[in-house]
Amino acid sequence: MGFIVNYKIHIGNSIEQLSEYFAQLLNDKINNSEDHFDIALSGGSTPKNIFEYLAVHHKNTIQWNKVKFYWGDERCVPPSDSESNYKMAYDSILHKLQIPTSNIFRIKGENNPKLEADIYSSVVLNQLNSVNNYPRFDLIMLGLGEDGHTASIFPNQISLLNSDKIYSTALHPGSGQTRITITGRVINNASSVVFIAVGKNKSKVVGEIINQKGNYKDYPASFINPLDGELYWVIDEEAASRISQLNRKTQL
Ligand code: 6PG
């Protein structure tokens, strides 16, 4: 699996501006899709801000009825738990847009993790078109941890990038919390992958990944490089502050 190569960078000056950019990107792709649009959502505070913005400013401008919602990862907790990525998305956007449950494919964090990882892999395999023998999401949203993790692929479990599973279990290295995560090959099989990262605390990891300097080879996010899809880095000025001028060339 190769390092990041072809990507587009959008650097915004606020979470509102980044959210608006993401909304336009999403709208264009949904409008150009055929019968429906398969998106995998991310957890994290940055995606939450974007969901809340979309629910307020784009309730009626995006064809949400075409969208089927999946998750890139989930914490192994009940859907009512404050840690649940499903709960975060439900409360911040899905409930507000009145998305029908038939279009929501929740990872059941309350189930046995290994069993649910296999069940959810089958759900995704059955629901999505397959290309290169892996399911193809139309768009996968990804956050970025300061340690270079994305979804729940952590540096100490970097082999999940090359797993032949579609979803696998993972352990948060700090809390020991069990997670269910999409694997690297499925991410890199997507039509579009959008990283969203904001804040000074992400500048080091973003800079090392984009510049391919420092510890980038230790970061799972460095290996997110869609085979024949588009890769976007949607970041604010603080997170972008250590990207070299040369590597800002692809800025949109
Ligand atoms: C999760 C996400 C995780 C998250 C990053 C960034 O379930 O928490 O999958 O990858 O996106 O840790 O989170 P923040 O945006 O909150 O920094």
Side-chain angles (χ1 to χ4, degrees):
M1 192 168 282
F3 297 119
I4 178 174
V5 177
N6 299 314
Y7 55 89
K8 299 180 178 79
I9 294 180
H10 176 78
I11 301 174
N13 52 25
S14 69
I15 189 65
E16 289 76 19
Q17 200 278 337
L18 294 178
S19 300
E20 183 56 32
Y21 175 81
F22 181 79
Q24 295 307 325
L25 183 67
L26 187 59
N27 195 35
D28 292 346
K29 292 182 181 298
I30 293 171
N31 289 342
N32 292 322
S33 65
E34 288 165 17
D35 58 326
H36 68 276
F37 190 85
D38 296 313
I39 186 171
L41 303 180
S42 171
S45 57
T46 312
K48 179 175 185 294
N49 291 331
I50 292 193
F51 296 157
E52 289 170 341
Y53 180 92
L54 291 173
V56 171
H57 300 283
H58 289 278
K59 180 169 185 171
N60 303 309
T61 57
I62 291 178
Q63 296 179 69
W64 296 110
N65 60 309
K66 288 179 74 174
V67 184
K68 293 189 177 183
F69 294 88
Y70 303 80
W71 276 260
D73 68 331
E74 183 57 279
R75 293 82 180 275
C76 291
V77 296
S80 57
D81 192 298
S82 60
E83 277 282 299
S84 165
N85 287 340
Y86 163 80
K87 176 175 173 37
M88 182 273 277
Y90 183 81
D91 293 344
S92 51
I93 185 168
L94 301 179
H95 173 61
K96 296 172 184 174
L97 298 184
Q98 297 170 320
I99 302 294
T101 50
S102 57
N103 284 356
I104 299 174
F105 299 85
R106 178 175 72 87
I107 300 175
K108 296 181 172 63
E110 67 275 24
N111 287 350
N112 171 286
K114 286 191 186 307
L115 188 59
E116 181 60 20
D118 292 344
I119 291 170
Y120 199 73
S121 295
S122 301
V123 167
V124 167
L125 202 56
N126 293 332
Q127 288 291 326
L128 273 61
N129 297 323
S130 282
V131 177
N132 312 316
N133 297 316
Y134 283 91
R136 170 161 286 180
F137 281 99
D138 291 303
L139 189 144
I140 298 176
M141 281 181 85
L142 292 175
L144 175 69
E146 292 181 49
D147 62 355
H149 81 259
T150 193
S152 284
I153 304 176
F154 296 97
N156 67 341
Q157 297 150 67
I158 202 162
S159 59
L160 288 173
L161 288 169
N162 292 308
S163 168
D164 56 7
K165 290 179 180 291
I166 296 166
Y167 281 77
S168 176
T169 56
L171 282 180
H172 189 286
S175 65
Q177 184 184 58
T178 306
R179 304 276 185 96
I180 291 169
T181 186
I182 195 170
T183 58
R185 288 182 183 177
V186 180
I187 298 174
N188 282 332
N189 200 45
S191 297
S192 297
V193 177
V194 183
F195 272 109
I196 297 156
V198 300
K200 196 78 177 165
N201 63 319
K202 302 291 173 75
S203 62
K204 179 177 183 293
V205 64
V206 168
E208 289 186 334
I209 292 171
I210 300 291
N211 298 333
Q212 294 194 4
K213 299 282 188 199
N215 300 316
Y216 76 100
K217 292 179 182 176
D218 298 333
Y219 304 146
S222 296
F223 297 85
I224 300 308
N225 186 37
L227 297 170
D228 55 5
E230 296 180 308
L231 176 61
Y232 297 83
W233 282 81
V234 178
I235 51 184
D236 70 352
E237 274 295 352
E238 286 192 331
S241 57
R242 298 193 196 188
I243 298 176
S244 66
Q245 283 310 312
L246 174 67
N247 288 325
R248 286 180 177 233
K249 63 185 185 307
T250 57
Q251 189 177 149
L252 289 176

